[in-house]
Amino acid sequence: MSDHYETLGVSKDASEADIKKAYRKLARRLHPDVSPGSEDEFKRVSLAYDVLSDPEKRRNYDMGGGENGQAGPGAGFGGFSDLFETFFGGGGGGGRPQPASRTRRGKDALVALHIDLETAAFGGNADVQIVTANVCDSCEGSGARPGTDITTCPTCHGAGSVQQMARTLLGQMLTNQTCPQCRGYGTIIEHHCPNCHGDGRVRAEETITVKVPAGVRDGNRIQLSGRGEAGPGGGPRGDLFLEVIVEEHPGFERDGADFRCTLTIPMTAAALGAEIPLEPFAGEQTVEVRAGAQTGDVVRLRGLGAQQLRRDGRGDIYVTLSVETPTALTGEQRELLEQLAGMRGETQPAGRAGDRHSGPFSRLREKFAGR
């Protein structure tokens, strides 16, 4: 038979506080979750504490009784399970777990938020429709029919668990099991609320208005604390997460904080130069088209792009020009163009293959050739 005092590392005249302190120190180090393979040693330490912490068992043990602190041999140690619960999260020294709470935090919710490009770039308000769980108005979250009470479970008397004696290789062990009648809550709802069927919540569809920060993009998430589902039993709400989906714009594309668009201009405007009105999100602007502009030329409008998220400053607008060639000419128009072609020597144009802009090697070659 092992010496319980030696197992705990205390003297035979150790006080109850010394025994408890020694046990806590050893149990933390030898718990199987912390030190795999130490189950047997952990059981010996727990048995020693079970005996030495109980005045009657300790007296029997000191007088030569059994290892389990009983006067007769072979009796089991019934307090091991209670000690385990007390030390590893039982109920405040009571040795039994606390009843489960019917009140719990609600789940978080994720909903898609569809917005247009202007709202994404500059911020604004957007409406989103959600289906969520709200606290039941009839029972105010309790789950019980209005006018009725939630009663204490007659089986576990509010503990949420019942104790059972189990026979094991170590003898009889007193274990805690979830109460089968109240399912661990310690209370019973005898008459459920007809509106929520005892859940304390009802599902509802609602539309909420969301403030969208300027500069958000596809895939960004906006968190609304406390706007998720209500918790069971009248518990607090979770959070609502809105995943931003930016709709395509018919005229502008977004490139980071910049906007890009294509502006189609008449051939005459490209040849003579012009000021072409453009109406982006910031109001009507003027695009300065230089004389002789070509398709593919880009005009930059500084500071008229999107707001940057959580930063100062805005991007730019890049306008790509597309020169439109007339396709349906009147006789007079055709005559005027023929006169222009003759004046420019273009009645029989030779054309030119390749890029209209010569590259650096071509320019270098022309320089050495004396052109």
Side-chain angles (χ1 to χ4, degrees), residues 351-369:
R352 180 171 57 196
D355 189 355
R356 63 185 178 88
H357 300 293
S358 60
F361 292 106
S362 298
R363 292 196 295 271
L364 187 63
R365 186 166 54 248
E366 292 174 356
K367 181 177 180 181
F368 278 106

Side-chain angles (χ1 to χ4, degrees), residues 209-224:
T209 300
V210 183
K211 185 176 181 179
V212 180
V216 297
R217 303 183 186 181
D218 259 330
N220 287 161
R221 289 188 177 182
I222 301 173
Q223 180 179 0
L224 302 179

Side-chain angles (χ1 to χ4, degrees), residues 213-290:
V216 297
R217 303 183 186 181
D218 259 330
N220 287 161
R221 289 188 177 182
I222 301 173
Q223 180 179 0
L224 302 179
S225 299
R227 298 300 298 271
E229 294 189 354
R237 286 183 173 272
D239 296 337
L240 175 61
F241 293 87
L242 303 174
E243 183 163 344
V244 174
I245 299 177
V246 182
E247 306 288 357
E248 292 186 0
H249 191 277
F252 290 87
E253 292 183 358
R254 186 174 176 182
D255 181 11
D258 300 325
F259 291 131
R260 297 185 182 275
C261 71
T262 298
L263 180 64
T264 301
I265 60 175
M267 178 185 67
T268 51
L272 301 175
E275 293 183 354
I276 308 295
L278 177 70
E279 191 167 348
F281 310 108
E284 186 172 299
Q285 302 294 327
T286 298
V287 179
E288 299 285 346
V289 178
R290 64 175 180 82

Side-chain angles (χ1 to χ4, degrees), residues 45 51 331:
V45 168
V51 173

Side-chain angles (χ1 to χ4, degrees), residues 45-102:
V45 168
S46 298
L47 175 59
Y49 178 65
D50 175 48
V51 173
L52 298 184
S53 62
D54 185 292
E56 184 178 354
K57 291 182 180 180
R58 182 177 181 181
R59 182 169 56 253
N60 291 335
Y61 178 75
D62 290 342
M63 294 177 63
E67 187 179 43
N68 52 24
Q70 300 295 329
F77 60 102
F80 169 77
S81 177
D82 286 337
L83 293 172
F84 183 89
E85 291 290 341
T86 300
F87 187 77
F88 294 102
R96 296 178 66 176
Q98 294 295 306
S101 175
R102 294 183 183 275

Side-chain angles (χ1 to χ4, degrees), residues 96-100 152-153 155-162 179 182 184-187:
R96 296 178 66 176
Q98 294 295 306
T152 301
C153 176
T155 300
C156 66
H157 305 290
S161 62
V162 292
C179 176
C182 67
Y185 293 116
T187 56

Side-chain angles (χ1 to χ4, degrees), residues 4 77 197 201 351:
H4 293 333
F77 60 102
H197 307 289
R201 305 176 299 172

